[in-house]
Amino acid sequence: MFRPLSFYIGLRYTAAKRRNHFISFISLTSMIGLMLGVAVLIIVLSVMNGFDRELKQRILGMVPHAVIQGDGPLDDWRAVEKIVKQHPRVLEAAPFIHAQGMLTSGGDVRGIMLNGILPEQEKKVSIIEDHMVEGSIDDLKSGEFGIIIGRIAASSLGLKVGDRVTVVLPEASLTPAGVLPRLKRFTVKGIFSVGAELDGNYTLVHMDDAAKLMRTGGKAQGIRLLVDDLFAAPKVAREAARMLDGRYYISDWTRTHGNLFQAIRMEKTMIGLLLMFIVAVAAFNIVSTLVMVVTDKTADIAILRTMGATPGRILRIFIVQGAVIGVVGTLIGTALGILGALNVSDAIAWLESVTGHHFLSADVYFISYLPSQLQWEDVLIISGAGLAMSLLATIYPAWRASRIDPAEALRYE
């Protein structure tokens, strides 16, 4: 016999077809449970990785990594920009004017973040140009009072390129008719879509027009920074501010959108732990399977012992049997998990098109589709954990089988 005896008998016992079909069924269900647990864990963690990636690429591609502002409008923003760009970790910088207000059209009102930008500068620090549905960021011309809005805002207000919309700011203006909110008519020059919550409240106008509306005297409110590492943004902003003369205030994405990132990280950790318990339950079903096999094969074990099989060989027989269940279940589950993680986005998109129901709305969630990013590190950790737990589950039943006394087992045979 060319195969090791322990391995050969362990494989024979795995099927358990001749004498007890119930044990074979339990072995199969243990394998399927382990397989499903591993597959689901890989798919879920890949989806969480996808949300994490989209947060970085889409939302943080639109909003500033960090900003530097003075006590008031910057007297010479070009000089400030030139100095901060000398920092080795600052890739680009651009001026901005920021305000909160409302868009109103046809009696409908929507809250917005109004961003005054210079188109040629904004392209260097934002991904907005890559996500224009209609129009272009270059269509924003000084003095024309054009505005670029998101797809959700355009749909909500029934706007298209060329329509007129009123921007209302909370600052009051004193007029002969009394104190009125500051407002201005703008022309829609473009519509963008990044598939995120920003589609509903993020708007762009030319910085000169924003300066007139905000009465900053043509000056920028601050400088937006694009850094080489998102997680280093707070440190880079502090260091860049120290390079400037005078008093400046800094902010970064961890203060404006860091709660989303932290929530995703925490959810990924907690969901991973909870699903790992499912894998553990499936793996330890192997214990009950092997205990029943040992009970069923007590006479066979006793005969093997009388023929010279050592306790160590008996131990290895049942470890092989449990290992086969664990290895096969884990490998199939890993393959299904990888396949599912690579195709879950397309599957959900197809399901949405068939049912006509959107599972993720950008009005509620920060993106409007289900992303997925497979990370091989997660696959290795999950697969390794599944194999380790399934092997650990074989130890007690195998040890119990190796301790069977042949004389006691064969007394009533």
Side-chain angles (χ1 to χ4, degrees):
M1 188 177 296
F2 297 99
R3 289 172 289 188
L5 183 62
S6 299
F7 186 74
Y8 176 72
I9 297 177
L11 289 179
R12 289 282 303 272
Y13 280 0
T14 301
K17 291 180 179 178
R18 287 189 307 160
R19 297 179 55 182
N20 198 327
H21 293 285
F22 180 70
I23 294 176
S24 179
F25 173 75
I26 294 298
S27 299
L28 180 62
T29 55
S30 299
M31 187 182 299
I32 292 175
L34 185 60
M35 175 186 70
L36 292 178
V38 170
V40 169
L41 185 53
I42 291 175
I43 293 173
V44 170
L45 291 188
S46 296
V47 170
M48 300 304 295
N49 292 332
F51 275 102
D52 186 40
R53 178 197 63 199
E54 294 303 309
L55 172 64
K56 294 177 183 176
Q57 292 183 353
R58 290 181 176 266
I59 293 184
L60 297 182
M62 291 284 289
V63 302
H65 291 178
V67 297
I68 297 177
Q69 295 178 266
D71 290 325
L74 301 179
D75 294 328
D76 187 359
W77 65 265
R78 296 186 184 276
V80 175
E81 179 191 25
K82 184 177 180 180
I83 293 173
V84 298
K85 288 179 67 174
Q86 294 176 4
H87 192 287
R89 305 196 68 176
V90 175
L91 302 179
E92 290 292 346
F96 71 90
I97 293 177
H98 178 78
Q100 293 184 350
M102 295 181 294
L103 280 183
T104 175
S105 176
D108 295 323
V109 179
R110 191 174 187 95
I112 59 165
M113 297 182 294
L114 188 70
N115 297 275
I117 52 98
L118 294 178
E120 65 276 7
Q121 297 281 99
E122 190 70 10
K123 293 178 183 179
K124 301 176 182 178
V125 297
S126 171
I127 63 172
I128 180 67
E129 185 67 14
D130 299 329
H131 295 274
M132 294 297 299
V133 178
E134 297 182 61
S136 169
I137 191 174
D138 293 322
D139 294 334
L140 295 178
K141 306 293 184 181
S142 177
E144 293 185 1
F145 288 94
I147 187 171
I148 292 176
I149 62 177
R151 177 184 54 82
I152 294 177
S155 176
S156 173
L157 298 175
L159 297 172
K160 59 183 182 297
V161 173
D163 289 347
R164 303 277 288 174
V165 64
T166 301
V167 174
V168 182
L169 297 183
E171 288 84 359
S173 298
L174 185 60
T175 69
V179 178
L180 298 175
R182 195 177 306 169
L183 51 86
K184 179 65 180 178
R185 295 281 284 177
F186 280 78
T187 303
V188 178
K189 295 290 187 177
I191 297 174
F192 68 87
S193 174
V194 294
E197 62 177 351
L198 297 177
D199 290 350
N201 55 27
Y202 198 82
T203 63
L204 297 172
V205 300
H206 197 282
M207 194 175 76
D208 292 343
D209 297 339
K212 294 175 183 177
L213 189 61
M214 296 293 294
R215 299 175 183 175
T216 63
K219 302 174 183 177
Q221 283 185 343
I223 299 295
R224 167 179 175 167
L225 306 181
L226 177 70
V227 300
D228 60 353
D229 182 5
L230 285 171
F231 300 101
K235 179 182 177 182
V236 173
R238 288 194 299 268
E239 293 174 352
R242 294 192 190 104
M243 299 168 62
L244 301 170
D245 295 329
R247 187 175 182 180
Y248 292 88
Y249 300 95
I250 61 172
S251 181
D252 58 80
W253 68 271
T254 62
R255 301 183 185 180
T256 57
H257 291 81
N259 58 330
L260 286 175
F261 183 80
Q262 293 170 359
I264 290 175
R265 279 291 180 88
M266 183 183 68
E267 288 174 3
K268 179 183 176 182
T269 301
M270 296 306 299
I271 290 176
L273 288 175
L274 292 175
L275 292 179
M276 191 62 76
F277 283 123
I278 297 177
V279 177
V281 170
F284 281 97
N285 279 339
I286 298 173
V287 175
S288 59
T289 300
L290 292 184
V291 167
M292 287 188 289
V293 172
V294 169
T295 303
D296 184 64
K297 302 294 184 181
T298 298
D300 294 354
I301 296 169
I303 293 172
L304 287 173
R305 288 294 308 276
T306 59
M307 294 175 65
T310 62
R313 175 164 289 178
I314 301 297
L315 180 76
R316 290 192 294 273
I317 288 173
F318 289 96
I319 287 180
V320 167
Q321 182 181 357
V324 168
I325 298 173
V327 170
V328 173
T330 301
L331 291 181
I332 296 177
T334 300
L336 291 177
I338 293 173
L339 186 64
L342 295 176
N343 294 279
V344 65
S345 298
D346 294 334
I348 295 299
W350 175 82
L351 189 60
E352 287 180 342
S353 65
V354 170
T355 62
H357 174 71
H358 289 282
F359 298 103
L360 295 176
S361 172
D363 288 331
V364 180
Y365 305 97
F366 68 88
I367 61 174
S368 58
Y369 68 99
L370 189 71
S372 177
Q373 182 183 27
L374 181 67
Q375 293 186 359
W376 293 108
E377 180 184 355
D378 289 341
V379 174
L380 292 176
I381 292 174
I382 295 167
S383 302
L387 289 173
M389 286 188 287
S390 60
L391 290 176
L392 285 174
T394 65
I395 293 177
Y396 170 72
W399 174 83
R400 180 177 170 181
S402 69
R403 304 296 295 176
I404 290 178
D405 183 7
E408 186 68 25
L410 296 175
R411 175 180 296 181
Y412 302 105
E413 293 292 333

